[in-house]
Amino acid sequence: MTDILAVFRSRSQAIDCINKMRALNIPAQLINTPKEANVGCGLSLKIPAATATRAKSVIAKLNYSSFYGYMRIEDRSGKIFIRGF
């Protein structure tokens, strides 16, 4: 299964973003940024690929200073694979 990660370097901005997504009924989960992403510690929003376009639009409008970027995350039988997006 492939999802999209919206990676943040600021915990407070990631939390603010997940709250905005919930208010807009955009499905997303707040997760620890996987070590496989190689961006240090932080939080990410895990967004279903089907709603990624809408979520990306919201994130762009909010213009978070700590937003790092997007990555694809795949969970294959418990093994995590991260790719650029």
Side-chain angles (χ1 to χ4, degrees):
M1 178 161 102
T2 302
D3 292 309
I4 304 303
L5 284 183
V7 181
F8 289 83
R9 291 189 171 149
S10 162
R11 297 179 71 79
S12 62
Q13 287 187 8
I15 292 168
D16 180 74
C17 188
I18 193 72
N19 289 333
K20 300 276 196 289
M21 295 291 174
R22 289 177 180 156
L24 295 169
N25 293 319
I26 299 172
Q29 287 180 286
L30 190 63
I31 65 168
N32 289 321
T33 301
K35 65 180 179 204
E36 293 87 354
N38 294 319
V39 292
C41 58
L43 292 176
S44 294
L45 273 64
K46 185 177 176 183
I47 304 162
T51 59
T53 301
R54 187 167 172 223
K56 286 174 65 176
S57 174
V58 170
I59 292 169
K61 287 177 186 172
L62 295 170
N63 197 30
Y64 290 107
S65 61
S66 73
F67 178 67
Y68 179 78
Y70 297 100
M71 297 182 176
R72 290 187 193 275
I73 182 170
E74 292 182 53
D75 184 344
R76 297 183 198 159
S77 302
K79 182 144 174 73
I80 302 294
F81 294 89
I82 305 287
R83 293 184 286 148
F85 182 70

Coordinates of all heavy atoms in Angstrom, one line a residue:
M1 N 0.8 -1.2 0.0 CA 0.0 0.0 0.0 C 0.9 1.2 0.0 O 1.8 1.3 0.7 CB -0.9 0.0 1.2 CG -1.8 1.2 1.3 SD -3.2 0.9 2.4 CE -2.6 1.7 3.9
T2 N 0.6 2.2 -0.8 CA 1.4 3.4 -1.0 C 0.6 4.6 -0.4 O -0.6 4.8 -0.8 CB 1.7 3.7 -2.4 OG1 2.5 2.6 -2.9 CG2 2.6 5.0 -2.5
D3 N 1.2 5.4 0.4 CA 0.6 6.6 1.0 C 1.7 7.7 0.7 O 2.8 7.5 0.3 CB 0.3 6.5 2.4 CG -0.8 5.5 2.8 OD1 -1.9 5.7 2.1 OD2 -0.6 4.7 3.6
I4 N 1.3 8.9 1.0 CA 2.1 10.1 0.8 C 2.5 10.6 2.2 O 1.6 10.7 3.1 CB 1.4 11.2 0.0 CG1 1.0 10.7 -1.3 CG2 2.4 12.4 -0.1 CD1 2.1 10.1 -2.2
L5 N 3.7 11.0 2.4 CA 4.2 11.6 3.7 C 4.4 13.1 3.4 O 5.0 13.5 2.5 CB 5.5 11.1 4.2 CG 5.5 9.7 4.8 CD1 7.0 9.4 5.3 CD2 4.6 9.6 6.0
A6 N 3.8 13.9 4.3 CA 4.1 15.3 4.3 C 5.0 15.5 5.5 O 4.6 15.3 6.6 CB 2.8 16.2 4.4
V7 N 6.3 15.8 5.2 CA 7.3 15.8 6.3 C 7.5 17.2 6.8 O 7.7 18.2 6.1 CB 8.6 15.2 5.7 CG1 9.7 15.2 6.8 CG2 8.4 13.8 5.1
F8 N 7.5 17.3 8.2 CA 7.7 18.6 8.9 C 8.9 18.4 9.8 O 9.1 17.4 10.4 CB 6.5 18.9 9.7 CG 5.3 19.3 8.9 CD1 4.4 18.4 8.4 CD2 5.0 20.7 8.7 CE1 3.3 18.8 7.6 CE2 3.9 21.1 8.0 CZ 3.1 20.1 7.4
R9 N 9.6 19.5 10.0 CA 10.7 19.5 11.0 C 10.3 20.1 12.3 O 11.0 20.1 13.3 CB 11.9 20.3 10.4 CG 12.6 19.6 9.2 CD 13.9 20.2 8.8 NE 14.5 19.4 7.9 CZ 15.3 19.8 6.9 NH1 15.5 21.1 6.8 NH2 15.9 19.0 6.1
S10 N 9.1 20.7 12.3 CA 8.6 21.3 13.6 C 7.4 20.5 14.0 O 6.4 20.3 13.3 CB 8.1 22.7 13.3 OG 7.3 23.2 14.3
R11 N 7.4 20.0 15.2 CA 6.3 19.2 15.8 C 5.1 20.1 15.9 O 4.0 19.6 15.6 CB 6.7 18.7 17.2 CG 7.9 17.7 17.1 CD 8.3 17.2 18.5 NE 7.3 16.2 19.0 CZ 7.2 15.0 18.7 NH1 8.0 14.4 17.8 NH2 6.3 14.2 19.3
S12 N 5.2 21.3 16.3 CA 4.0 22.2 16.5 C 3.3 22.5 15.2 O 2.1 22.5 15.1 CB 4.4 23.5 17.2 OG 5.3 24.2 16.5
Q13 N 4.1 22.7 14.1 CA 3.5 22.9 12.8 C 2.9 21.7 12.2 O 1.8 21.8 11.6 CB 4.5 23.5 11.8 CG 4.9 25.0 12.2 CD 5.7 25.6 11.1 OE1 6.0 25.1 10.1 NE2 6.2 26.8 11.5
A14 N 3.4 20.5 12.5 CA 2.8 19.3 12.1 C 1.5 19.1 12.8 O 0.5 18.7 12.2 CB 3.8 18.1 12.3
I15 N 1.5 19.4 14.1 CA 0.2 19.2 14.8 C -0.8 20.2 14.3 O -2.0 19.9 14.2 CB 0.5 19.3 16.3 CG1 1.3 18.1 16.8 CG2 -0.8 19.5 17.1 CD1 1.9 18.3 18.2
D16 N -0.4 21.4 14.1 CA -1.3 22.4 13.5 C -1.9 21.9 12.2 O -3.1 22.0 12.0 CB -0.6 23.8 13.3 CG -1.6 24.8 12.8 OD1 -2.4 25.3 13.6 OD2 -1.4 25.1 11.6
C17 N -1.1 21.4 11.4 CA -1.5 20.9 10.1 C -2.5 19.7 10.2 O -3.5 19.7 9.5 CB -0.3 20.5 9.2 SG -0.7 20.1 7.5
I18 N -2.2 18.8 11.0 CA -3.2 17.7 11.2 C -4.5 18.2 11.7 O -5.6 17.7 11.3 CB -2.6 16.5 12.1 CG1 -3.5 15.3 12.0 CG2 -2.6 16.9 13.5 CD1 -3.4 14.5 10.7
N19 N -4.5 19.2 12.6 CA -5.8 19.8 13.0 C -6.5 20.4 11.9 O -7.8 20.3 11.8 CB -5.5 20.7 14.2 CG -5.1 20.0 15.5 OD1 -5.4 18.9 15.7 ND2 -4.3 20.7 16.3
K20 N -5.8 21.1 11.0 CA -6.5 21.7 9.9 C -7.1 20.7 8.9 O -8.2 20.8 8.4 CB -5.5 22.6 9.1 CG -4.9 23.7 9.9 CD -5.7 24.9 9.9 CE -5.0 26.2 10.3 NZ -4.7 26.4 11.6
M21 N -6.3 19.6 8.7 CA -6.8 18.5 7.9 C -8.1 17.9 8.5 O -9.0 17.6 7.7 CB -5.7 17.4 7.7 CG -4.5 17.8 7.0 SD -4.8 18.1 5.3 CE -3.2 18.8 4.8
R22 N -8.1 17.6 9.7 CA -9.3 17.1 10.4 C -10.5 18.0 10.3 O -11.6 17.6 10.0 CB -9.0 16.8 11.8 CG -8.0 15.6 12.0 CD -7.7 15.3 13.4 NE -6.8 14.1 13.5 CZ -6.0 13.9 14.5 NH1 -5.9 14.7 15.5 NH2 -5.2 12.8 14.4
A23 N -10.2 19.3 10.4 CA -11.3 20.3 10.3 C -11.9 20.3 8.9 O -13.1 20.6 8.7 CB -10.8 21.7 10.7
L24 N -11.1 20.0 7.9 CA -11.5 19.9 6.5 C -12.0 18.5 6.1 O -12.2 18.3 4.9 CB -10.4 20.5 5.6 CG -10.1 21.9 5.8 CD1 -8.8 22.3 5.1 CD2 -11.2 22.8 5.3
N25 N -12.0 17.6 7.0 CA -12.4 16.2 6.7 C -11.4 15.5 5.7 O -11.9 14.7 4.8 CB -13.8 16.1 6.3 CG -14.8 16.4 7.4 OD1 -14.6 16.0 8.5 ND2 -15.8 17.2 7.1
I26 N -10.2 15.9 5.7 CA -9.2 15.2 4.9 C -8.5 14.2 5.7 O -7.9 14.5 6.8 CB -8.1 16.2 4.4 CG1 -8.8 17.3 3.5 CG2 -7.0 15.5 3.6 CD1 -7.9 18.5 3.1
P27 N -8.6 12.9 5.3 CA -8.0 11.8 6.1 C -6.5 11.9 6.2 O -5.9 12.1 5.1 CB -8.5 10.5 5.5 CG -8.8 10.9 4.1 CD -9.2 12.4 4.1
A28 N -5.9 11.9 7.4 CA -4.5 11.9 7.5 C -4.2 11.4 8.9 O -5.0 11.5 9.8 CB -3.9 13.3 7.3
Q29 N -3.0 10.9 9.1 CA -2.5 10.4 10.4 C -1.2 11.2 10.7 O -0.4 11.4 9.8 CB -2.1 8.9 10.4 CG -3.3 8.0 10.3 CD -2.7 6.5 10.3 OE1 -2.2 6.1 9.3 NE2 -2.8 5.9 11.4
L30 N -1.1 11.5 12.0 CA 0.2 12.1 12.5 C 1.1 11.0 12.9 O 0.7 10.2 13.8 CB -0.1 13.1 13.6 CG 1.0 13.9 14.1 CD1 1.4 14.9 13.0 CD2 0.6 14.7 15.3
I31 N 2.3 10.9 12.3 CA 3.2 9.8 12.7 C 4.6 10.4 12.9 O 4.9 11.5 12.4 CB 3.3 8.7 11.6 CG1 3.8 9.3 10.3 CG2 1.9 8.1 11.3 CD1 4.2 8.2 9.2
N32 N 5.4 9.6 13.6 CA 6.9 10.0 13.7 C 7.4 9.8 12.3 O 7.2 8.8 11.6 CB 7.6 9.1 14.7 CG 7.2 9.4 16.1 OD1 7.0 10.6 16.5 ND2 7.1 8.4 16.9
T33 N 8.3 10.7 11.9 CA 8.9 10.6 10.5 C 9.8 9.4 10.6 O 10.7 9.2 11.4 CB 9.7 11.8 10.2 OG1 8.9 13.0 10.2 CG2 10.4 11.7 8.8
P34 N 9.6 8.4 9.6 CA 10.4 7.2 9.6 C 11.8 7.5 9.4 O 12.2 8.4 8.7 CB 9.8 6.4 8.4 CG 8.5 7.0 8.2 CD 8.5 8.4 8.6
K35 N 12.7 6.7 10.1 CA 14.2 7.0 10.0 C 14.6 6.8 8.5 O 15.6 7.3 8.1 CB 14.9 6.0 10.9 CG 14.8 4.6 10.6 CD 15.5 3.7 11.5 CE 15.3 2.3 11.1 NZ 15.4 1.3 12.0
E36 N 13.9 5.9 7.7 CA 14.2 5.7 6.4 C 14.1 7.0 5.5 O 14.7 7.0 4.4 CB 13.3 4.6 5.8 CG 13.5 3.2 6.4 CD 12.6 3.0 7.6 OE1 12.0 4.0 8.1 OE2 12.7 1.9 8.1
A37 N 13.4 8.0 6.0 CA 13.3 9.2 5.2 C 14.6 10.1 5.3 O 14.8 11.0 4.5 CB 12.1 10.1 5.8
N38 N 15.4 9.8 6.3 CA 16.7 10.5 6.4 C 16.6 12.0 6.5 O 17.4 12.7 5.9 CB 17.7 10.1 5.3 CG 18.1 8.7 5.3 OD1 18.4 8.1 6.3 ND2 18.1 8.1 4.1
V39 N 15.6 12.5 7.3 CA 15.5 13.9 7.5 C 15.5 14.3 9.0 O 15.1 15.3 9.4 CB 14.2 14.4 6.9 CG1 14.2 14.4 5.4 CG2 13.0 13.8 7.5
G40 N 16.1 13.4 9.8 CA 16.2 13.6 11.2 C 14.8 13.3 11.9 O 13.9 12.8 11.3
C41 N 14.7 13.7 13.2 CA 13.5 13.4 13.9 C 12.4 14.5 13.5 O 12.8 15.6 13.2 CB 13.7 13.3 15.4 SG 14.4 14.8 16.1
G42 N 11.2 14.2 13.6 CA 10.2 15.1 13.4 C 8.9 14.3 13.2 O 8.8 13.1 13.5
L43 N 7.8 15.0 12.8 CA 6.6 14.4 12.6 C 6.2 14.6 11.2 O 6.6 15.5 10.5 CB 5.5 15.1 13.5 CG 5.6 14.8 15.0 CD1 4.5 15.6 15.7 CD2 5.5 13.4 15.3
S44 N 5.4 13.6 10.7 CA 4.9 13.7 9.3 C 3.4 13.4 9.3 O 2.9 12.8 10.3 CB 5.6 12.6 8.5 OG 6.9 12.9 8.3
L45 N 2.7 13.8 8.3 CA 1.4 13.5 8.1 C 1.4 12.4 7.0 O 2.0 12.5 6.0 CB 0.5 14.6 7.6 CG -0.1 15.5 8.6 CD1 1.0 16.3 9.4 CD2 -1.0 16.5 8.0
K46 N 0.7 11.3 7.3 CA 0.6 10.2 6.4 C -0.8 10.3 5.8 O -1.8 10.3 6.4 CB 0.7 8.8 7.1 CG 0.7 7.6 6.3 CD 0.9 6.4 7.1 CE 0.8 5.1 6.3 NZ 0.9 3.9 7.2
I47 N -0.8 10.5 4.4 CA -2.0 10.9 3.7 C -2.3 9.8 2.7 O -1.3 9.5 1.9 CB -1.8 12.2 3.0 CG1 -1.4 13.3 4.1 CG2 -3.0 12.6 2.2 CD1 -0.8 14.5 3.5
P48 N -3.5 9.3 2.6 CA -3.8 8.4 1.5 C -3.6 9.0 0.1 O -3.9 10.2 -0.1 CB -5.3 8.0 1.7 CG -5.6 8.4 3.1 CD -4.6 9.6 3.5
A49 N -3.0 8.2 -0.8 CA -2.7 8.8 -2.1 C -3.9 9.3 -2.8 O -3.8 10.3 -3.5 CB -2.0 7.7 -2.9
A50 N -5.1 8.8 -2.5 CA -6.3 9.2 -3.2 C -6.7 10.7 -2.8 O -7.4 11.4 -3.6 CB -7.4 8.3 -2.8
T51 N -6.2 11.1 -1.6 CA -6.6 12.5 -1.2 C -5.3 13.4 -1.2 O -5.4 14.5 -0.6 CB -7.2 12.5 0.2 OG1 -6.3 11.9 1.1 CG2 -8.5 11.7 0.2
A52 N -4.2 13.0 -1.7 CA -3.0 13.7 -1.7 C -3.1 15.1 -2.4 O -2.6 16.1 -1.9 CB -1.8 12.9 -2.3
T53 N -3.8 15.2 -3.5 CA -3.9 16.5 -4.2 C -4.6 17.5 -3.3 O -4.1 18.7 -3.2 CB -4.7 16.3 -5.5 OG1 -3.9 15.3 -6.3 CG2 -4.8 17.6 -6.3
R54 N -5.7 17.1 -2.7 CA -6.4 18.1 -1.8 C -5.5 18.5 -0.6 O -5.5 19.7 -0.3 CB -7.7 17.4 -1.4 CG -8.6 18.3 -0.6 CD -10.0 17.8 -0.5 NE -10.7 18.6 0.4 CZ -11.5 18.2 1.4 NH1 -11.7 16.9 1.5 NH2 -12.1 19.0 2.1
A55 N -4.9 17.5 0.0 CA -4.0 17.8 1.1 C -2.9 18.7 0.7 O -2.5 19.7 1.5 CB -3.5 16.5 1.7
K56 N -2.2 18.5 -0.4 CA -1.1 19.3 -0.9 C -1.6 20.7 -1.1 O -0.8 21.7 -0.8 CB -0.5 18.7 -2.2 CG 0.3 17.5 -1.9 CD 0.7 16.8 -3.2 CE 1.7 17.7 -4.0 NZ 2.2 17.1 -5.2
S57 N -2.8 20.9 -1.6 CA -3.3 22.3 -1.8 C -3.4 23.0 -0.5 O -3.1 24.2 -0.4 CB -4.7 22.2 -2.5 OG -5.3 23.4 -2.6
V58 N -3.9 22.3 0.5 CA -4.1 22.9 1.9 C -2.7 23.3 2.5 O -2.5 24.4 3.0 CB -4.9 22.0 2.8 CG1 -4.8 22.5 4.3 CG2 -6.3 21.8 2.3
I59 N -1.8 22.4 2.4 CA -0.4 22.6 2.9 C 0.2 23.8 2.2 O 0.9 24.7 2.8 CB 0.4 21.4 2.9 CG1 -0.1 20.3 3.8 CG2 1.9 21.7 3.2 CD1 0.5 18.9 3.7
A60 N 0.1 23.9 0.9 CA 0.7 25.0 0.1 C 0.1 26.4 0.6 O 0.8 27.3 0.8 CB 0.4 24.8 -1.3
K61 N -1.2 26.4 0.8 CA -1.9 27.6 1.3 C -1.4 28.1 2.7 O -1.3 29.2 3.0 CB -3.4 27.5 1.2 CG -4.0 27.5 -0.2 CD -5.4 27.2 -0.1 CE -6.0 27.1 -1.6 NZ -7.4 26.7 -1.6
L62 N -1.1 27.1 3.5 CA -0.7 27.4 4.9 C 0.7 27.8 5.0 O 1.1 28.4 6.0 CB -1.0 26.2 5.8 CG -2.5 25.9 5.9 CD1 -2.7 24.6 6.6 CD2 -3.2 27.0 6.6
N63 N 1.6 27.5 4.0 CA 2.9 28.0 3.9 C 3.7 27.8 5.2 O 4.3 28.7 5.7 CB 2.9 29.5 3.5 CG 4.3 29.9 3.0 OD1 5.0 29.1 2.4 ND2 4.6 31.2 3.1
Y64 N 3.8 26.6 5.7 CA 4.6 26.3 6.9 C 6.1 26.4 6.6 O 6.6 25.9 5.7 CB 4.3 24.8 7.3 CG 2.9 24.6 7.9 CD1 2.0 23.9 7.1 CD2 2.5 25.1 9.1 CE1 0.7 23.7 7.6 CE2 1.3 24.9 9.6 CZ 0.3 24.2 8.8 OH -0.9 24.0 9.3
S65 N 6.8 27.1 7.5 CA 8.2 27.3 7.4 C 9.0 26.0 7.6 O 10.1 25.9 7.1 CB 8.7 28.4 8.4 OG 8.4 28.0 9.7
S66 N 8.5 25.1 8.4 CA 9.2 23.9 8.7 C 8.9 22.7 7.8 O 9.3 21.6 8.0 CB 9.0 23.4 10.1 OG 7.7 22.9 10.3
F67 N 8.0 23.0 6.8 CA 7.6 21.9 5.9 C 8.8 21.5 5.0 O 9.5 22.3 4.4 CB 6.5 22.4 5.0 CG 6.0 21.3 4.0 CD1 5.5 20.1 4.4 CD2 6.3 21.5 2.6 CE1 5.1 19.2 3.5 CE2 5.9 20.6 1.7 CZ 5.3 19.4 2.2
Y68 N 9.2 20.2 5.0 CA 10.3 19.7 4.3 C 10.0 19.3 2.9 O 10.7 19.5 2.0 CB 10.9 18.5 5.1 CG 12.1 17.9 4.5 CD1 13.4 18.5 4.5 CD2 12.0 16.7 3.7 CE1 14.5 18.0 3.9 CE2 13.1 16.2 3.1 CZ 14.4 16.8 3.2 OH 15.5 16.2 2.6
G69 N 8.9 18.6 2.7 CA 8.5 18.1 1.4 C 7.7 16.8 1.5 O 7.3 16.4 2.6
Y70 N 7.4 16.2 0.3 CA 6.6 15.0 0.2 C 7.5 13.8 -0.2 O 8.4 13.9 -0.9 CB 5.5 15.2 -0.9 CG 4.6 16.3 -0.6 CD1 4.7 17.6 -1.2 CD2 3.5 16.1 0.3 CE1 3.9 18.6 -0.9 CE2 2.7 17.2 0.6 CZ 2.8 18.4 0.0 OH 2.0 19.4 0.3
M71 N 7.0 12.7 0.3 CA 7.7 11.4 0.0 C 6.6 10.4 -0.1 O 5.5 10.5 0.5 CB 8.7 11.0 1.1 CG 9.8 12.0 1.2 SD 10.9 11.4 2.5 CE 12.2 12.6 2.4
R72 N 6.9 9.3 -0.9 CA 6.0 8.2 -0.9 C 6.5 7.2 0.1 O 7.7 7.0 0.3 CB 6.1 7.5 -2.3 CG 5.5 8.3 -3.4 CD 5.4 7.4 -4.7 NE 5.1 8.2 -5.8 CZ 3.9 8.5 -6.2 NH1 2.9 8.1 -5.5 NH2 3.7 9.3 -7.3
I73 N 5.5 6.6 0.8 CA 5.8 5.6 1.8 C 5.1 4.3 1.5 O 3.9 4.3 1.2 CB 5.5 6.0 3.3 CG1 5.9 5.0 4.3 CG2 4.1 6.5 3.4 CD1 5.8 5.4 5.7
E74 N 5.8 3.2 1.4 CA 5.2 1.9 1.1 C 5.5 1.0 2.3 O 6.6 0.9 2.7 CB 5.7 1.3 -0.1 CG 5.3 2.1 -1.4 CD 5.9 1.4 -2.6 OE1 5.7 0.2 -2.8 OE2 6.5 2.1 -3.4
D75 N 4.5 0.3 2.7 CA 4.7 -0.7 3.8 C 4.5 -2.1 3.1 O 3.4 -2.4 2.7 CB 3.6 -0.5 4.9 CG 3.8 -1.5 6.0 OD1 4.5 -2.5 5.9 OD2 3.3 -1.2 7.1
R76 N 5.6 -2.8 3.0 CA 5.5 -4.2 2.3 C 5.8 -5.2 3.4 O 6.9 -5.4 3.8 CB 6.5 -4.3 1.2 CG 6.3 -3.3 0.1 CD 7.3 -3.6 -1.0 NE 7.4 -2.4 -1.9 CZ 8.4 -2.2 -2.7 NH1 9.5 -3.0 -2.7 NH2 8.4 -1.1 -3.5
S77 N 4.7 -5.8 3.9 CA 4.8 -6.8 4.9 C 5.7 -6.4 6.1 O 6.5 -7.1 6.6 CB 5.5 -8.1 4.3 OG 4.7 -8.5 3.2
G78 N 5.4 -5.1 6.6 CA 6.1 -4.6 7.7 C 7.4 -3.9 7.5 O 8.0 -3.3 8.4
K79 N 7.9 -4.0 6.2 CA 9.2 -3.3 5.9 C 8.8 -2.0 5.2 O 8.0 -1.9 4.3 CB 10.0 -4.1 5.0 CG 11.3 -3.5 4.6 CD 12.4 -4.5 4.5 CE 13.7 -3.9 4.0 NZ 14.4 -3.0 5.0
I80 N 9.4 -0.9 5.7 CA 9.0 0.5 5.2 C 10.0 0.9 4.0 O 11.2 0.7 4.2 CB 9.1 1.5 6.3 CG1 8.2 1.1 7.4 CG2 8.9 2.9 5.8 CD1 6.7 1.2 7.1
F81 N 9.4 1.4 2.9 CA 10.2 1.9 1.8 C 9.8 3.3 1.6 O 8.6 3.6 1.5 CB 10.0 1.1 0.5 CG 10.5 -0.3 0.6 CD1 9.7 -1.3 1.1 CD2 11.8 -0.7 0.2 CE1 10.1 -2.6 1.2 CE2 12.2 -2.0 0.3 CZ 11.4 -3.0 0.8
I82 N 10.8 4.2 1.5 CA 10.6 5.6 1.3 C 11.1 6.0 -0.1 O 12.3 5.7 -0.4 CB 11.2 6.5 2.4 CG1 10.7 6.1 3.8 CG2 11.0 8.0 2.1 CD1 9.3 6.5 4.1
R83 N 10.4 6.8 -0.9 CA 10.9 7.3 -2.1 C 10.5 8.7 -2.3 O 9.5 9.2 -1.7 CB 10.2 6.5 -3.3 CG 10.6 5.1 -3.4 CD 10.0 4.4 -4.6 NE 8.6 4.2 -4.4 CZ 7.7 4.2 -5.3 NH1 8.0 4.5 -6.5 NH2 6.4 4.0 -5.0
G84 N 11.3 9.5 -3.1 CA 10.9 10.8 -3.4 C 9.6 10.9 -4.1 O 9.1 10.0 -4.7
F85 N 9.0 12.1 -4.0 CA 7.7 12.2 -4.7 C 7.7 13.3 -5.7 O 8.3 14.3 -5.6 CB 6.6 12.6 -3.6 CG 5.3 12.7 -4.1 CD1 4.5 11.6 -4.5 CD2 4.6 14.0 -4.1 CE1 3.2 11.7 -5.0 CE2 3.4 14.1 -4.6 CZ 2.7 13.0 -5.0

